[in-house]
Amino acid sequence: MSKLIQVNGFAIFSPVHLSPGLWRHPDDRSLDFSTLDYWTDVAKILEAGKFDSIFIADGIGIHDVYAGTADAALNTGAQIPKLDPMLLVSAMAHVTEHLGLGVTAPVSYEPPFTLARRFSTLDHLSKGRIAWNIVTGYSNTASRAVGRDSIMAHDPRYDLADEFLDAVYALWEGSWDDEAVVVDPIRGVIADPSRIRKVHHHGAHFKIDAIHLVHPSLQRTPFLFQAGASNRGKDFAARHAEAVFLGEHSKAPTAANVAETRARARAFGRDGRDIRFYALLTVIVGETHAEAEAKYRDYQRYIDPKGSLALLSGWTGIDLSRYSLDDPFPTVKKDNAVTSMIDSFSRSERPWTIREIIEHNGIGGRGPVIVGSPTEVADQLQAWVAETDIDGFNLSYAVTPGGYQDFAELVVPELQRRGVYKTGYAKGTLREKIFGPGQARLPSSHPAARFRHHAAVEPQREPTSA
Amino acid sequence: MSKLIQVNGFAIFSPVHLSPGLWRHPDDRSLDFSTLDYWTDVAKILEAGKFDSIFIADGIGIHDVYAGTADAALNTGAQIPKLDPMLLVSAMAHVTEHLGLGVTAPVSYEPPFTLARRFSTLDHLSKGRIAWNIVTGYSNTASRAVGRDSIMAHDPRYDLADEFLDAVYALWEGSWDDEAVVVDPIRGVIADPSRIRKVHHHGAHFKIDAIHLVHPSLQRTPFLFQAGASNRGKDFAARHAEAVFLGEHSKAPTAANVAETRARARAFGRDGRDIRFYALLTVIVGETHAEAEAKYRDYQRYIDPKGSLALLSGWTGIDLSRYSLDDPFPTVKKDNAVTSMIDSFSRSERPWTIREIIEHNGIGGRGPVIVGSPTEVADQLQAWVAETDIDGFNLSYAVTPGGYQDFAELVVPELQRRGVYKTGYAKGTLREKIFGPGQARLPSSHPAARFRHHAAVEPQREPTSA
């Protein structure tokens, strides 16, 4: 059997994600972003299309590099306002049965104890469908919002993140045995305290002496997403992630990234196949090639250059207000999550101008845009998978929820005909749906596993994570 | 027209709230507490009964005073496991249209910036129905869970809470003008940066230099609940609260508390009527008095003394494992949220024994239990309102959701016949439903109002809260 192509719906709790200006398109519902009806509709559309999950981006920073202010971002709604995606989960879980629910949350602004509790709560409420996209926070704006003068340096930030994860793993995996929940009405017992242990985590950044407040959920540790693209970020992903989201613009760097991260994972004692890779992608599909092309040209008329400049300046750290639109896109410092897009343009016969990059990336951000009929799109998706070793796609949109709906109604049936897309959801938790039956919990090769309590070995030891 | 009696459904995201052991009753669904179906059913039952709101208690501490461990609490499920109630809101909001959604959140463990964002998110998603029960955190257990060696002293904790509120008020009320959101597709403008300002809060405990991430919601500041019973807590409530939840056992201390807090509110320049008071109460109602009494006796058979001891020890700070059940209930130190219950028992002809207190409080915790026919219950509710000047009740249960449902089906129609209970919900936000049309935002006498931006007065000033 061919490898099945997996798909996540990529979203943000904001009026603009990666296609600034498209909120003005008559088919677009972006301005409904702060309503529950919008999000429950999106969830139902994704589940009807048998998407594996929704993945909601987040971050408390705002894009204020362009002209040194947030004015352009505010003006164009470029990822601001931005609301807390974790609070959408219970409504989406209530209207779906299978869709994985991935939300972004930082390790930077609240104690591991309360974050662990939030995800355990959501894993219970969703019956094991929650995924956590781990972010370390990247902007000075974000730091100033929470009382710090500037952001922590990059590598120490990942050290802190590693410690944060050890702390939450200890809470999720080590505090309550599966046998701790008893529920015996005759004896009047709900839980067995001898199977519940305090976590003692005394690290450089965090300290915990407490039992986890939540009994074991189906997945215990949420399904772990990560999107780090720096060297240290790749190490972090190789160590912890079960799914990695890539934002490369083309196949070659995607393939290199996949191979490298799988190799790093093996170096950490994991199976390279224990990580799924999803490439950022926007698909514009029509019944025919001509229809898709017409749709794309129509969407392009709504691109908002100012919003694009706000996003591009924010992502690259370069204040593009200092350049003319016809200047070549300026050089970006290395080891940055977004350089590869610019790199790939620079590698073409001549450097792209800022205007060309906006025209090219005003829809779908830094990811590729595939335009075509269902068979053409399916061909390209299969080529991406074959040539890069990715497992699937992180699907963005020009218009929402139409972009998801078109994919579900036109591309999915074609992929199903080719035998490369599931025709129904597998049973069980998100982790079982992705990795197979019996895989509700993380495998023993994952770093979280060492926080599990092994009664036979050390009966009274309390889990210590640092 | 008589004053309408208001009712909140009192709940906790745990298998046991105030009636330990009742989870074993065949009519009880407490063990479904970690499912969305349970909470959406509760929300629908409360809305069918035209309850004003649900109020979900919370706190990250656990009851570990009894015998110096959490064993009794864990054994009996006495408020542990305990999940994060904020994460229930979107599902409950999705299945209701009018019910107020009150959740508890502390000012102790996360920055004002991210908490403000969460509540703004929920106010948008619920279309103006969110309420925040402000707590300062009360246990050493909780502090040790988040890396502090012990809890901050009581009064400084309220100083910190006052500062926290100033910070969130500045974000909610001062960062975005109502006119900031433009949404003009012709000009491609979503927001007007000149109507959006950074909040600069530089206080003793918190620091913020950022714009609020969320555009103004219908209520801006969530409807504010508080339950502080200490002197400092009463001052805090008098300054900030729009609804105060009381946990007295009888009318006299309730009346005294109401009068005192209204007077304190007036001293802060507010109208005493700007605060609503709700008395903790459990109602056991049947078609007839005999049926209600039989129901109560049946419920009492399920009381769990061990669970009650865990709760009573936790609330009073007295390790009751050191006493015999037939000892008089030991004296409790003053200025504690729960002493009044014990006081009221001590004021009877002889001191109550621990066993008697458990029999009396094993259902409904420290609040009174009213048992009777619909007319008997209605008589007593009206007497409570008349004699104490409260506005309504915070309704707990013996069994859930049956306790809410009995009240909705038997007591509410009787109160409606008497003209003291609404027959339909008012339009608008929770604040408008409680305080009347045009009151979606806090009144100008509330301390949050001073953070509003008055363009005519000081056009360029950024809101500074400390």
Side-chain angles (χ1 to χ4, degrees):
Chain A
M1 194 179 82
S2 299
K3 185 159 100 171
L4 296 181
I5 295 175
Q6 299 177 346
V7 181
N8 305 281
F10 194 30
I12 193 169
F13 199 172
S14 186
V16 169
H17 191 189
L18 300 177
S19 304
L22 271 289
W23 59 271
R24 298 170 297 175
H25 192 282
D27 291 346
D28 188 79
R29 283 182 61 195
S30 288
L31 294 180
D32 294 340
F33 79 101
S34 58
T35 68
L36 280 172
D37 284 346
Y38 170 74
W39 289 100
T40 51
D41 285 352
V42 166
K44 286 184 277 191
I45 288 165
L46 298 185
E47 184 156 291
K50 299 187 178 61
F51 281 52
D52 293 276
S53 52
I54 187 169
F55 167 21
I56 310 181
D58 194 37
I60 65 165
I62 59 178
H63 294 297
D64 59 1
V65 174
Y66 185 81
T69 79
D71 286 4
L74 288 164
N75 221 227
T76 62
Q79 306 187 346
I80 174 79
K82 190 166 42 174
L83 285 60
D84 188 332
M86 205 181 276
L87 299 168
L88 291 170
V89 172
S90 70
M92 292 195 297
H94 191 60
V95 300
T96 56
E97 190 183 342
H98 298 290
L99 185 71
L101 302 163
V103 292
T104 302
V107 298
S108 320
Y109 313 120
E110 71 169 319
F113 186 79
T114 52
L115 183 126
R117 183 188 185 213
R118 289 187 209 275
F119 275 103
S120 293
T121 299
L122 292 175
D123 204 45
H124 277 292
L125 292 178
S126 67
K127 299 190 194 297
R129 292 189 281 142
I130 194 73
W132 173 26
N133 178 43
I134 309 161
V135 294
T136 62
Y138 72 93
S139 82
N140 282 320
T141 321
S143 298
R144 283 191 294 266
V146 295
R148 291 172 207 147
D149 288 323
S150 68
I151 192 168
M152 191 185 274
H154 185 272
D155 282 9
R157 209 164 73 226
Y158 274 105
D159 293 340
L160 177 146
D162 277 325
E163 191 198 321
F164 192 102
L165 284 181
D166 281 355
V168 293
Y169 291 155
L171 290 161
W172 286 324
E173 301 285 336
S175 185
W176 293 60
D177 291 348
D178 286 333
E179 300 79 6
V181 177
V182 175
V183 185
D184 179 346
I186 307 300
R187 291 188 295 135
V189 170
I190 284 192
D192 176 357
S194 75
R195 312 304 295 264
I196 301 164
R197 285 162 301 278
K198 274 190 188 175
V199 165
H200 297 292
H201 174 101
H202 294 186
H205 303 283
F206 306 105
K207 189 173 162 194
I208 303 173
D209 294 283
I211 68 161
H212 189 39
L213 283 184
V214 188
H215 57 304
S217 63
L218 290 172
Q219 298 190 117
R220 284 186 176 264
T221 296
F223 194 92
L224 299 172
F225 287 177
Q226 223 268 336
S230 66
N231 268 317
R232 186 65 180 82
K234 281 177 190 161
D235 257 1
F236 185 83
R239 199 168 118 81
H240 301 284
E242 300 177 86
V244 169
F245 292 86
L246 304 172
E248 311 288 355
H249 187 74
S250 59
K251 291 175 195 152
T254 302
N257 199 328
V258 171
E260 186 187 344
T261 308
R262 289 206 206 276
R264 288 183 195 224
R266 283 189 294 271
F268 285 119
R270 301 177 67 197
D271 184 330
R273 297 284 148 190
D274 286 349
I275 305 181
R276 299 292 196 244
F277 291 85
Y278 304 94
L280 176 60
L281 175 70
T282 300
V283 168
I284 315 288
V285 61
E287 298 282 2
T288 63
H289 182 85
E291 191 185 306
E293 282 290 349
K295 206 183 259 192
Y296 188 39
R297 280 191 302 274
D298 177 44
Y299 292 153
Q300 284 179 308
R301 295 192 304 124
Y302 291 88
I303 288 176
D304 179 352
K306 192 175 179 182
S308 288
L309 288 168
L311 292 182
L312 286 165
S313 295
W315 292 333
T316 59
I318 299 169
D319 176 4
L320 295 174
S321 75
R322 300 183 184 180
Y323 298 83
S324 142
L325 289 183
D326 295 310
D327 286 343
F329 202 99
T331 307
V332 184
K333 67 181 184 308
K334 294 297 169 192
D335 203 24
N336 177 301
V338 293
T339 53
S340 69
M341 168 187 83
I342 314 299
D343 280 353
S344 67
F345 295 141
S346 311
R347 276 195 292 269
S348 61
E349 64 278 12
R350 61 166 178 82
W352 288 43
T353 65
I354 295 172
R355 189 188 306 278
E356 286 168 330
I357 287 193
I358 289 172
E359 279 163 12
H360 202 80
N361 295 273
I363 288 174
R366 56 187 184 265
V369 179
I370 292 178
V371 182
S373 68
T375 54
E376 289 168 335
V377 171
D379 287 348
Q380 290 208 48
L381 299 187
Q382 289 191 280
W384 265 82
V385 171
E387 293 170 38
T388 65
D389 197 25
I390 58 169
D391 299 279
F393 299 92
N394 192 28
L395 190 77
S396 192
Y397 53 79
V399 298
T400 180
Y404 302 131
Q405 193 143 20
D406 285 353
F407 190 90
E409 291 174 1
L410 296 171
V411 180
V412 166
E414 176 61 26
L415 294 173
Q416 287 170 330
R417 265 190 292 278
R418 298 178 183 201
V420 294
Y421 197 90
K422 61 182 160 314
T423 52
Y425 283 103
K427 284 207 169 76
T429 62
L430 176 58
R431 188 170 284 121
E432 287 162 291
K433 287 176 168 62
I434 301 293
F435 289 111
Q439 307 291 313
R441 305 283 168 81
L442 282 162
S444 58
S445 55
H446 191 279
R450 73 180 191 281
F451 296 101
R452 289 177 187 149
H453 181 68
H454 301 288
V457 184
E458 292 177 80
Q460 291 306 319
R461 211 188 71 175
E462 296 187 335
T464 300
S465 72
Chain B
M1 194 179 81
S2 299
K3 186 159 99 172
L4 296 181
I5 295 176
Q6 299 178 346
V7 181
N8 304 282
F10 195 30
I12 194 170
F13 201 171
S14 186
V16 169
H17 191 190
L18 300 177
S19 304
L22 271 290
W23 59 271
R24 297 170 297 174
H25 192 283
D27 291 346
D28 187 80
R29 282 183 61 195
S30 289
L31 294 181
D32 295 340
F33 79 100
S34 58
T35 69
L36 280 172
D37 284 346
Y38 170 74
W39 289 99
T40 52
D41 285 352
V42 166
K44 287 185 276 190
I45 287 166
L46 298 185
E47 184 155 289
K50 300 187 177 59
F51 281 52
D52 293 276
S53 52
I54 187 170
F55 167 21
I56 311 181
D58 194 38
I60 64 166
I62 59 178
H63 294 298
D64 59 0
V65 174
Y66 185 81
T69 78
D71 286 5
L74 287 165
N75 221 227
T76 62
Q79 305 187 346
I80 174 80
K82 190 166 43 175
L83 284 59
D84 188 331
M86 205 180 278
L87 300 168
L88 291 169
V89 172
S90 71
M92 293 195 297
H94 191 58
V95 299
T96 56
E97 190 184 342
H98 298 290
L99 186 71
L101 303 163
V103 292
T104 302
V107 298
S108 321
Y109 314 121
E110 73 169 316
F113 185 80
T114 52
L115 183 126
R117 182 187 186 214
R118 289 188 209 275
F119 275 102
S120 293
T121 300
L122 292 175
D123 204 44
H124 277 293
L125 292 177
S126 67
K127 299 190 194 296
R129 292 189 282 142
I130 193 74
W132 174 25
N133 178 44
I134 309 161
V135 294
T136 62
Y138 74 94
S139 82
N140 283 319
T141 321
S143 298
R144 284 190 294 266
V146 294
R148 291 171 208 149
D149 287 323
S150 68
I151 192 167
M152 191 184 276
H154 186 272
D155 282 8
R157 210 162 74 225
Y158 273 104
D159 293 340
L160 176 145
D162 276 325
E163 191 198 320
F164 191 102
L165 284 182
D166 281 355
V168 293
Y169 291 155
L171 292 161
W172 286 325
E173 301 286 336
S175 186
W176 292 61
D177 292 347
D178 286 334
E179 300 78 7
V181 177
V182 175
V183 185
D184 179 346
I186 308 300
R187 291 188 295 136
V189 170
I190 283 192
D192 176 357
S194 75
R195 312 304 296 261
I196 301 164
R197 285 163 300 279
K198 274 190 189 176
V199 165
H200 297 292
H201 174 101
H202 294 185
H205 303 283
F206 306 106
K207 189 174 162 194
I208 303 174
D209 294 284
I211 68 161
H212 188 40
L213 283 185
V214 187
H215 57 304
S217 64
L218 290 173
Q219 298 190 116
R220 285 187 176 263
T221 296
F223 194 92
L224 299 172
F225 288 176
Q226 221 267 335
S230 67
N231 269 316
R232 187 66 180 81
K234 281 176 190 162
D235 257 2
F236 185 82
R239 200 169 119 80
H240 300 285
E242 300 178 86
V244 169
F245 292 87
L246 304 172
E248 311 289 353
H249 187 73
S250 58
K251 290 174 196 154
T254 302
N257 199 328
V258 172
E260 185 188 343
T261 308
R262 290 207 206 275
R264 287 183 195 225
R266 282 189 294 270
F268 284 118
R270 301 177 69 198
D271 184 330
R273 297 285 147 189
D274 285 350
I275 305 181
R276 298 292 196 244
F277 291 85
Y278 303 94
L280 175 60
L281 174 70
T282 300
V283 167
I284 315 289
V285 61
E287 299 280 2
T288 63
H289 182 85
E291 191 185 306
E293 282 290 348
K295 207 183 258 190
Y296 189 38
R297 280 192 302 275
D298 176 45
Y299 292 154
Q300 284 179 309
R301 295 191 304 123
Y302 292 88
I303 289 176
D304 178 353
K306 192 175 180 183
S308 287
L309 288 167
L311 293 182
L312 286 165
S313 296
W315 291 333
T316 59
I318 299 170
D319 176 3
L320 294 174
S321 76
R322 300 183 184 180
Y323 298 83
S324 145
L325 288 183
D326 295 310
D327 286 343
F329 202 99
T331 307
V332 184
K333 67 181 186 309
K334 295 298 168 190
D335 203 25
N336 179 301
V338 292
T339 53
S340 70
M341 167 185 82
I342 313 297
D343 281 354
S344 68
F345 296 141
S346 311
R347 277 196 290 271
S348 60
E349 64 277 12
R350 62 168 178 77
W352 287 43
T353 64
I354 295 172
R355 189 188 307 279
E356 285 168 331
I357 287 193
I358 289 172
E359 279 163 10
H360 202 81
N361 294 275
I363 288 175
R366 56 187 183 266
V369 179
I370 292 178
V371 182
S373 68
T375 55
E376 289 168 336
V377 171
D379 287 348
Q380 290 209 48
L381 299 188
Q382 289 192 280
W384 265 81
V385 171
E387 294 169 38
T388 64
D389 197 27
I390 58 170
D391 298 280
F393 299 92
N394 192 28
L395 191 77
S396 191
Y397 52 79
V399 298
T400 181
Y404 302 131
Q405 193 144 18
D406 284 354
F407 189 90
E409 292 175 359
L410 296 172
V411 180
V412 166
E414 176 60 26
L415 294 173
Q416 287 170 330
R417 266 190 293 276
R418 298 180 184 201
V420 295
Y421 197 92
K422 61 182 161 314
T423 53
Y425 283 102
K427 285 206 168 79
T429 62
L430 176 58
R431 188 170 285 120
E432 287 162 292
K433 287 176 168 63
I434 301 292
F435 289 111
Q439 307 291 315
R441 306 283 167 81
L442 281 163
S444 57
S445 56
H446 191 278
R450 72 180 192 281
F451 296 101
R452 289 177 186 149
H453 181 68
H454 301 289
V457 185
E458 290 178 81
Q460 291 307 318
R461 213 188 71 174
E462 294 187 335
T464 300
S465 70

